[in-house]
Amino acid sequence: MTSPTVNFHESATTVSAEAGETILEVAQRAGVPIVSYCGGQGTCKQCKVIIREGSVQPKNPASWREETTEDGRGIRVLACQSLVTEDITVEVPLGALGVDPTVRDVDVLTGELVDLSEFSPSTPLARQFALRLSPPTHDDTLTDLDRIVQSLLAEDEQLAPLTTQLGLLQQLPAALRDNSFEVAVAITDTGVANEIRSVRPIGAADSSLGLAIDVGTSTVVAQLVDLTTGQSLGASIRRNGQIAYGEDVISRIVWTQQRDDGLARMRESIRDTLDDILTHLYAQQGIDPQQVIAASVAANTTMTSFLLGIDATTVRRTPHTPAASVLPVLTAQEVGLSTHSQAGVFCHPAVSGFVGGDITAGILATRMHRSEGLCLLVDVGTNGEIVIGNRDWLMCASCSAGPAFEGVGIEAAMAATAGAITSMHYDPKADVIKYETVNDQPPRGLCGTGLVEMIASLAETEVIDRTGTINSDFPSERVRQIGYEAEFVLLWPDESGTGEVICIRQHDLENLLRSKAAVLAGITVLLGNLGFEATDVETMYLAGTFGSSLDVEKAVAIGLLPDVPRERVRVVGNSALAGAYLTLMSSKARDEANQIVSSLTYLDLSGDAGFMDEFIASDFIPHTDLSRFPSINK
Amino acid sequence: MTSPTVNFHESATTVSAEAGETILEVAQRAGVPIVSYCGGQGTCKQCKVIIREGSVQPKNPASWREETTEDGRGIRVLACQSLVTEDITVEVPLGALGVDPTVRDVDVLTGELVDLSEFSPSTPLARQFALRLSPPTHDDTLTDLDRIVQSLLAEDEQLAPLTTQLGLLQQLPAALRDNSFEVAVAITDTGVANEIRSVRPIGAADSSLGLAIDVGTSTVVAQLVDLTTGQSLGASIRRNGQIAYGEDVISRIVWTQQRDDGLARMRESIRDTLDDILTHLYAQQGIDPQQVIAASVAANTTMTSFLLGIDATTVRRTPHTPAASVLPVLTAQEVGLSTHSQAGVFCHPAVSGFVGGDITAGILATRMHRSEGLCLLVDVGTNGEIVIGNRDWLMCASCSAGPAFEGVGIEAAMAATAGAITSMHYDPKADVIKYETVNDQPPRGLCGTGLVEMIASLAETEVIDRTGTINSDFPSERVRQIGYEAEFVLLWPDESGTGEVICIRQHDLENLLRSKAAVLAGITVLLGNLGFEATDVETMYLAGTFGSSLDVEKAVAIGLLPDVPRERVRVVGNSALAGAYLTLMSSKARDEANQIVSSLTYLDLSGDAGFMDEFIASDFIPHTDLSRFPSINK
């Protein structure tokens, strides 16, 4: 008996199914990215696919649901609940395609977060020296290694102690003699020593590049930096391919636990994503991967664990303790980065399973650990991470916001690329949506800021009530019922750039509200635990890709952010990436990054009695208690 | 056409020959150890084998020599000069068998060389701690690594900084949880930090063992040490299997250069030798290799390079500069030692290609680097190595003594095992040899000391003249001519324990004299260059296996050692192994071992104008200038 096959129509991939496999499992094995936030539990309903040919068996007949498609030529089912028992052809609708594999360019970081003046002198994680050594003679019998060490110390005696590894020693005699003793020597600062990591033709010293990398749960960014000047050359972004294995870190950890090679495959996935980004970046900048001799990575604890092949199971279980906080400086070979194999890799330390290197990097970049006044750092990503404190103390918390504002799982959402709605307003009298799009292109969906403005506008116009429920009596054709669910049509087919209707469904709104409620509740509880209110905050840093493009006024209006005076709000962009840039360039920054961990206390919201109450109270627009939002209330 | 085969009769090995291969090359590939001091150049004449079936083609017809064996049933040829072109059966006579694979027990080191009191406190290269950690809780969210680090620092705050590697982090979460947080943690002192190298069940901390290893060109010794108490548990010795690839370091380096996998095979050979020794040692002591968490290796520069897979070509070429002097602390896995894979491995540093870690270890063990008076350290191994100096300065030289006194290539020689002649005297009047043997067993050959006494006695009785030439007119049947060569019969078949004649051939005597001349000339030149004479030496340390069993009086009599007052001579045994023991047990010793390199100057005798003259003058018994040997002259 031959195995049944699954033909994934759009990706022209046909794969044999193993006994008992679901469509989702086959897809994951084949690298076809299907959204699965719940990790295949059948609860998130995101993995809806269309069976075009053949039929499937229910994994769990009691909860089985299937529906015929509008065109009548297919059956819509959940991929995770459909056992493959015969040859089938499957269509994965765009909405269920979890990972957009497109690598896009983004602007490199600028501004005070990446100002190196406070972290001088420049002491990059790795440096190269062009050494013109004299060959050994009868009167100069220094060993190969000592010849290099003495020459390096003559350049800068601060480089001591200098160490090396066996691999380099094995290559050393040939490396020196093949290059007539004129060599480029790369050293990496391991924290306890400078390790000589490569010896190669002297021309290699002409260019020493590094990478600042932000591995987010949903998106991954890499920025290419000239280590000699500190100048950023370019940056690229891509969706994290691991989204195919779960929306958030918990479902991904569960996924790795369910199969022997789970961790290895999760690791492979992030390596593939990084490979894509680096390949793009290198091609665009016209550089050779061998020029890259250092990388600094800011990522949350789970992403760091997956990247390094460290079991993250403990992150999931209370008390969410990761394997390590401060990590050793590694080699690119160990990590699996497409750079020079011996490039030094610094990973920002985590404080707990849910406050990772991305946050400690963000603290470093905002310098809140040096501030006199009370600071609040909010990074709304897939997790909402919050830090308050000053130069004397720091406290942090994390809340599972989910990636709704990052657009994941919202059918009408898209990245902030051409055609994305960044700003919108509904005029109920004219029944017209006014909007702006990226590059003024025909509208194709809403990016994060568009989603916030959409909620603000629909709430203001009472299309939705304060619980986010669509008013089914609202006098507009835009409000309609599809199956069990109400939806609000933003754009009719003839208005949209896609030629299809673009609408917000009731469950999209619920997702978005839960997301914002988690963030607001986290901030409130963290401040409250220390006896503070929002108005005590001297500076609120709004970090993250989403935060950086946000209209603060609207974010406060819907109750995503607390009602702090607007002049105290600083939108700082990708502070994790900025932190990675700083640690890439300065040993002082690396020391501070590692020290921040000691002064940072983690508050586990899941163990906080008040959090759930506050979360429920925050699942309103903007909050059940309007007195907390005086500026909105006015 | 099928390849011709070589059947090595005694080892029951049949191997296909590749095109153009000699018998020696086939033997080396097959692991059949045949003595080849010249590395296959056809000059040392040591690789004589007997063709029993079939015939061979001369590699170089002009210099071809073959002789029929006594029994008339074979042809004696040089294995390195015989091309294999048809199936042959080869007998390798015992004299040509290079490597005795027997592992023997030796006494563990005792005495002042291994006295740790001057190197206290005890800080072994690796240590294990039994940690009973509390599991993380809601109120104690330390990471796994920090939990271990803090616990270790509580045991001893001097352990900071503590580092680790990715491999350990990957294992850490399971290692802690599988063992209910009660674990044995092993750390290795890398010189710049203490590296956490293993975390395993707590019972492992009950026993922490280490190895002191001396890799000599001819013999390899390993001593098992309890790292907690410093007590030595046992020691074993074996011939270095690399002898099959050349007698001395130069011919072995040449051998590695002649084939792509030369270095890899040389590395494999020493690993095999060490494996044999360790397997024996472990079985004898009833221990598990996993108990061994550290090793300290003292070896000459070439042996260290081969062990670590570092090209030693530069050692051969002037100015004989090795790849490195002080080496990083490695892992057993990198080195290929059969211990715990993450055991720390310290290799004693070399000063030059010809003054290696064995000598710096010897200096450490004799403490001559701390002495006020002038010291002379002489280690007669395959190379004769000489150091003079005191606490202010040290100077060293090396001379190619060859392994004659170690018995290699001397047909009548053997290791100092049962039946070996340790002491002998020829009575010409009675025409009788008087001797003592190890364990009073019937005589089977001469060990190193026996060889020295044999020369002294034959010279005294004028069987040989001062040039070492056998007096063919000597009135005894013991002096006879075999083929082109004179020989002196020590034991007739009915006197020997082997039932065969035991004799010294003219070329044996020449080898031994050249050996002793190299050592004496080296000492004389080194002393002379600094304006000293033998009588200025306050303490002469006689090191090495050979040196330790030597009758100093006889060694001076034949001019192997200079004529220094006997009470100043200290026979110290295997000082290299003693140094390895010290560095295994003490960080102070490791620091001093690495510092010795800085104060030690190397004199290249091959570049010294006077050395060749002195060598020629020393190729006499005891020397051409008898006034240098007043105590003998009397």
Side-chain angles (χ1 to χ4, degrees):
Chain A
M1 192 183 95
T2 56
S3 303
T5 62
V6 180
N7 172 16
F8 293 102
H9 189 64
E10 293 79 4
S11 51
T13 306
T14 300
V15 199
S16 291
E18 289 166 15
E21 271 192 320
T22 63
I23 294 175
L24 182 65
E25 287 165 338
V26 175
Q28 289 178 337
R29 200 157 42 73
V32 174
I34 296 180
V35 177
S36 169
Y37 296 169
C38 63
Q41 307 299 308
T43 53
C44 74
K45 322 278 187 207
Q46 296 299 314
C47 64
K48 277 184 189 157
V49 296
I50 298 165
I51 310 292
R52 287 293 180 195
E53 287 171 28
S55 66
V56 293
Q57 295 299 317
K59 187 176 175 186
N60 183 352
S63 61
W64 180 251
R65 288 274 302 270
E66 63 176 46
E67 49 191 58
T68 304
T69 55
E70 296 73 2
D71 62 12
R73 289 186 287 111
I75 305 291
R76 189 172 277 118
V77 295
L78 291 183
C80 72
Q81 298 300 305
S82 305
L83 297 173
V84 181
T85 53
E86 60 176 69
D87 292 357
I88 52 174
T89 296
V90 172
E91 179 189 328
V92 183
L94 216 58
L97 259 181
V99 191
D100 174 4
T102 316
V103 179
R104 291 180 295 112
D105 295 330
V106 286
D107 290 338
V108 298
L109 297 172
T110 52
E112 58 187 319
L113 258 62
V114 291
D115 178 4
L116 284 168
S117 61
E118 290 167 55
F119 294 99
S120 64
S122 169
T123 40
L125 179 59
R127 276 184 275 181
Q128 272 187 126
F129 295 84
L131 303 182
R132 294 176 200 281
L133 305 166
S134 46
T137 63
H138 191 268
D139 298 319
D140 170 15
T141 58
L142 268 185
T143 66
D144 292 350
L145 182 61
D146 289 340
R147 195 165 295 273
I148 288 173
V149 166
Q150 294 203 359
S151 180
L152 287 172
L153 292 178
E155 298 263 349
D156 180 358
E157 61 183 17
Q158 302 285 326
L159 296 177
L162 284 154
T163 59
T164 192
Q165 298 282 341
L166 183 57
L168 185 113
L169 288 177
Q170 289 171 338
Q171 295 162 7
L172 192 53
L176 285 179
R177 286 160 188 81
D178 293 351
N179 295 299
S180 308
F181 286 83
E182 303 205 335
V183 287
V185 175
I187 59 166
T188 290
D189 174 10
T190 67
V192 291
N194 277 303
E195 190 171 289
I196 300 170
R197 290 244 175 132
S198 80
V199 175
R200 46 184 177 160
I202 195 162
D206 294 345
S207 166
S208 299
L209 304 178
L211 293 165
I213 296 174
D214 163 32
V215 180
T217 308
S218 304
T219 58
V220 182
V221 194
Q223 175 161 320
L224 192 68
V225 179
D226 183 323
L227 294 173
T228 313
T229 62
Q231 194 197 345
S232 290
L233 307 176
S236 299
I237 194 168
R238 213 208 92 160
R239 280 282 159 126
N240 186 335
Q242 294 176 339
I243 289 174
Y245 305 116
E247 161 199 43
D248 54 29
V249 297
I250 294 300
S251 40
R252 289 186 206 165
I253 294 171
V254 170
W255 193 90
T256 63
Q257 288 178 281
Q258 285 167 345
R259 36 194 70 67
D260 288 342
D261 62 348
L263 180 58
R265 283 172 61 186
M266 202 57 93
R267 195 177 189 195
E268 201 178 300
S269 171
I270 182 60
R271 285 177 170 181
D272 286 348
T273 298
L274 280 164
D275 257 2
D276 279 3
I277 295 173
L278 298 186
T279 303
H280 174 91
L281 204 49
Y282 295 161
Q284 194 204 49
Q285 299 290 326
I287 68 145
D288 179 335
Q290 298 304 312
Q291 292 171 254
V292 180
I293 59 168
S296 180
V297 179
N300 65 50
T301 313
T302 305
M303 291 303 105
T304 303
S305 297
F306 286 162
L307 179 64
L308 303 186
I310 299 172
D311 181 24
T313 309
T314 58
V315 170
R316 185 187 162 212
R317 292 204 199 100
T318 182
H320 315 300
T321 306
S325 177
V326 173
L327 292 159
V329 172
L330 304 171
T331 65
Q333 191 167 46
E334 287 176 298
V335 179
L337 283 183
S338 308
T339 61
H340 187 285
S341 69
Q342 299 306 303
V345 182
F346 176 86
C347 294
H348 280 262
V351 175
S352 84
F354 289 118
V355 176
D358 48 352
I359 295 306
T360 57
I363 294 169
L364 178 76
T366 59
R367 281 80 153 163
M368 63 185 286
H369 65 298
R370 296 173 172 186
S371 158
E372 224 170 310
L374 184 68
C375 296
L376 170 65
L377 170 64
V378 180
D379 188 337
V380 183
T382 307
N383 266 1
E385 278 126 359
I386 309 146
V387 188
I388 59 170
N390 55 32
R391 64 185 181 192
D392 298 319
W393 58 271
L394 292 163
M395 191 165 220
C396 58
S398 168
C399 42
S400 266
F405 284 103
E406 294 183 302
V408 176
I410 309 291
E411 209 172 283
M414 63 178 288
T417 51
I421 296 174
T422 55
S423 159
M424 68 150 273
H425 179 74
Y426 173 52
D427 177 351
K429 283 183 193 152
D431 197 27
V432 160
I433 305 274
K434 292 176 182 165
Y435 57 82
E436 286 172 16
T437 64
V438 174
N439 293 355
D440 291 329
Q441 293 295 300
R444 307 181 70 245
L446 296 100
C447 66
T449 54
L451 290 169
V452 171
E453 301 210 1
M454 179 271 295
I455 298 170
S457 181
L458 296 190
E460 192 190 354
T461 54
E462 296 181 348
V463 174
I464 58 177
D465 65 14
R466 285 183 56 216
T467 71
T469 307
I470 295 173
N471 175 5
S472 52
D473 298 330
F474 192 84
S476 164
E477 279 188 2
R478 291 180 185 273
V479 173
R480 60 184 196 176
Q481 194 78 8
I482 298 291
Y484 297 91
E485 198 174 36
E487 63 181 30
F488 180 82
V489 177
L490 295 165
L491 296 166
W492 298 105
D494 58 339
E495 297 170 323
S496 85
T498 61
E500 289 180 20
V501 72
I502 294 177
C503 62
I504 286 294
R505 297 164 297 179
Q506 182 59 51
H507 79 259
D508 293 337
L509 288 161
E510 286 162 14
N511 277 341
L512 291 163
L513 250 68
R514 271 198 303 274
S515 244
K516 81 95 193 165
V519 176
L520 183 62
I523 295 170
T524 311
V525 169
L526 194 56
L527 283 167
N529 267 19
L530 290 150
F532 293 114
E533 293 186 358
T535 45
D536 295 320
V537 173
E538 282 194 19
T539 312
M540 178 166 99
Y541 295 101
L542 212 50
T545 312
F546 170 54
S548 65
S549 51
L550 205 56
D551 181 323
V552 177
E553 205 57 55
K554 300 277 171 64
V556 174
I558 71 165
L560 168 64
L561 298 176
D563 196 358
V564 300
R566 306 301 183 267
E567 69 278 10
R568 299 187 190 172
V569 179
R570 299 261 293 279
V571 175
V572 292
N574 191 338
S575 60
L577 189 66
Y581 169 84
L582 295 175
T583 51
L584 182 68
M585 288 305 300
S586 156
S587 67
K588 193 175 176 190
R590 291 190 289 282
D591 288 345
E592 287 187 27
N594 286 339
Q595 283 155 12
I596 281 170
V597 177
S598 328
S599 56
L600 187 54
T601 312
Y602 173 62
L603 176 70
D604 183 1
L605 292 176
S606 72
D608 188 281
F611 179 74
M612 191 44 74
D613 290 345
E614 194 54 48
F615 173 73
I616 291 165
S618 300
D619 196 11
F620 279 76
I621 301 170
H623 190 274
T624 46
D625 179 3
L626 286 173
S627 71
R628 300 237 194 122
F629 284 79
S631 76
I632 304 300
N633 226 2
K634 273 185 298 199
Chain B
M1 191 184 97
T2 56
S3 305
T5 61
V6 181
N7 171 15
F8 293 101
H9 190 63
E10 293 80 3
S11 51
T13 307
T14 301
V15 201
S16 291
E18 289 166 15
E21 272 192 320
T22 63
I23 294 175
L24 182 65
E25 286 164 337
V26 175
Q28 288 177 338
R29 199 156 44 73
V32 175
I34 295 180
V35 177
S36 169
Y37 296 170
C38 63
Q41 307 298 307
T43 53
C44 74
K45 321 278 188 208
Q46 296 299 314
C47 64
K48 278 183 189 155
V49 295
I50 299 164
I51 310 292
R52 286 293 180 195
E53 286 171 28
S55 66
V56 293
Q57 295 298 316
K59 187 175 176 186
N60 182 352
S63 61
W64 180 251
R65 288 273 301 270
E66 63 176 47
E67 50 190 56
T68 303
T69 53
E70 294 76 2
D71 61 11
R73 290 186 285 113
I75 304 291
R76 189 173 278 117
V77 295
L78 291 182
C80 73
Q81 298 299 305
S82 305
L83 297 173
V84 180
T85 53
E86 60 176 70
D87 291 357
I88 53 174
T89 296
V90 172
E91 180 189 327
V92 184
L94 215 57
L97 261 179
V99 191
D100 173 4
T102 316
V103 179
R104 289 181 296 112
D105 295 328
V106 286
D107 291 337
V108 298
L109 298 172
T110 53
E112 59 186 318
L113 259 61
V114 290
D115 177 4
L116 283 168
S117 60
E118 290 168 56
F119 294 99
S120 62
S122 168
T123 40
L125 178 60
R127 274 184 276 180
Q128 273 189 125
F129 294 85
L131 303 183
R132 294 176 200 280
L133 305 167
S134 46
T137 64
H138 190 269
D139 298 318
D140 172 13
T141 58
L142 268 184
T143 66
D144 292 350
L145 182 61
D146 289 340
R147 195 166 294 273
I148 288 173
V149 167
Q150 294 203 0
S151 180
L152 287 173
L153 293 178
E155 297 263 347
D156 181 358
E157 61 183 18
Q158 301 284 327
L159 296 177
L162 283 155
T163 60
T164 193
Q165 297 282 342
L166 183 56
L168 185 112
L169 288 177
Q170 289 171 337
Q171 295 162 7
L172 193 53
L176 284 180
R177 286 160 188 80
D178 292 352
N179 294 300
S180 309
F181 285 83
E182 303 206 335
V183 286
V185 175
I187 59 167
T188 290
D189 174 11
T190 67
V192 291
N194 277 304
E195 189 171 291
I196 300 170
R197 292 246 176 128
S198 81
V199 176
R200 46 184 177 159
I202 196 162
D206 294 344
S207 166
S208 299
L209 304 178
L211 293 165
I213 297 174
D214 163 32
V215 181
T217 308
S218 303
T219 57
V220 181
V221 194
Q223 176 161 318
L224 193 67
V225 180
D226 184 322
L227 294 172
T228 313
T229 62
Q231 194 197 345
S232 290
L233 308 176
S236 301
I237 194 167
R238 213 208 91 159
R239 280 281 159 128
N240 186 333
Q242 294 176 337
I243 289 173
Y245 306 115
E247 162 198 42
D248 54 29
V249 298
I250 294 299
S251 40
R252 288 186 208 168
I253 294 171
V254 170
W255 192 91
T256 63
Q257 287 179 283
Q258 286 168 344
R259 37 194 68 69
D260 288 342
D261 63 348
L263 180 58
R265 283 172 60 187
M266 202 58 93
R267 195 177 190 197
E268 201 178 301
S269 171
I270 183 59
R271 285 177 171 183
D272 287 347
T273 298
L274 280 164
D275 257 2
D276 279 2
I277 296 173
L278 298 186
T279 302
H280 174 90
L281 204 48
Y282 296 160
Q284 193 203 50
Q285 300 290 327
I287 69 145
D288 179 334
Q290 298 303 313
Q291 293 172 253
V292 180
I293 58 168
S296 179
V297 179
N300 66 51
T301 312
T302 305
M303 291 304 104
T304 303
S305 297
F306 286 161
L307 180 64
L308 303 186
I310 299 172
D311 181 23
T313 309
T314 58
V315 170
R316 184 187 163 212
R317 294 204 197 100
T318 181
H320 315 301
T321 306
S325 177
V326 173
L327 292 158
V329 172
L330 304 170
T331 65
Q333 190 166 46
E334 288 176 296
V335 178
L337 282 183
S338 307
T339 62
H340 187 284
S341 69
Q342 299 306 303
V345 182
F346 176 86
C347 294
H348 280 261
V351 176
S352 85
F354 290 118
V355 176
D358 48 352
I359 295 305
T360 57
I363 294 169
L364 177 76
T366 59
R367 280 79 153 164
M368 63 185 286
H369 65 298
R370 296 172 172 187
S371 158
E372 225 171 309
L374 185 67
C375 297
L376 170 65
L377 170 65
V378 180
D379 188 337
V380 185
T382 307
N383 266 2
E385 278 126 357
I386 309 145
V387 189
I388 59 169
N390 56 32
R391 65 184 180 192
D392 297 319
W393 58 272
L394 292 163
M395 189 166 223
C396 59
S398 168
C399 42
S400 267
F405 284 103
E406 293 183 303
V408 177
I410 309 291
E411 211 171 282
M414 63 179 287
T417 50
I421 296 175
T422 54
S423 158
M424 68 150 274
H425 178 74
Y426 173 51
D427 176 350
K429 283 184 192 151
D431 197 28
V432 160
I433 305 274
K434 292 175 182 165
Y435 56 82
E436 286 173 14
T437 65
V438 174
N439 294 354
D440 290 331
Q441 293 296 299
R444 307 180 72 245
L446 297 100
C447 66
T449 54
L451 290 168
V452 171
E453 301 209 1
M454 178 271 296
I455 298 170
S457 181
L458 297 190
E460 191 189 355
T461 53
E462 296 181 348
V463 174
I464 59 176
D465 65 14
R466 285 184 56 216
T467 70
T469 306
I470 294 173
N471 175 5
S472 54
D473 298 330
F474 192 84
S476 164
E477 279 186 4
R478 291 180 185 272
V479 173
R480 60 183 196 177
Q481 194 78 10
I482 298 292
Y484 298 92
E485 198 174 35
E487 63 180 29
F488 180 82
V489 176
L490 295 166
L491 296 166
W492 298 105
D494 59 340
E495 298 169 322
S496 84
T498 61
E500 289 181 19
V501 72
I502 294 177
C503 60
I504 286 295
R505 297 163 297 179
Q506 182 60 51
H507 80 257
D508 293 336
L509 288 161
E510 285 161 13
N511 276 342
L512 290 164
L513 249 67
R514 272 198 301 274
S515 243
K516 80 95 194 166
V519 175
L520 183 62
I523 296 170
T524 311
V525 169
L526 193 57
L527 283 167
N529 267 17
L530 290 151
F532 292 115
E533 291 186 359
T535 46
D536 295 320
V537 173
E538 281 194 20
T539 312
M540 177 166 99
Y541 294 101
L542 212 52
T545 311
F546 170 54
S548 64
S549 51
L550 206 55
D551 180 325
V552 176
E553 203 58 54
K554 298 278 169 66
V556 174
I558 71 165
L560 167 65
L561 297 176
D563 196 358
V564 301
R566 306 301 183 267
E567 70 278 10
R568 298 187 191 172
V569 179
R570 298 263 293 278
V571 175
V572 292
N574 191 339
S575 60
L577 189 66
Y581 169 84
L582 295 175
T583 52
L584 182 68
M585 289 304 302
S586 157
S587 67
K588 193 175 177 191
R590 291 189 289 281
D591 288 345
E592 287 186 27
N594 286 340
Q595 283 155 12
I596 280 169
V597 177
S598 329
S599 56
L600 186 55
T601 312
Y602 173 62
L603 176 70
D604 183 2
L605 291 176
S606 72
D608 187 280
F611 179 74
M612 191 43 76
D613 291 343
E614 193 55 46
F615 173 72
I616 291 166
S618 300
D619 196 10
F620 279 75
I621 301 170
H623 191 274
T624 46
D625 180 2
L626 287 173
S627 72
R628 299 238 195 121
F629 285 78
S631 75
I632 305 300
N633 225 4
K634 274 186 295 200

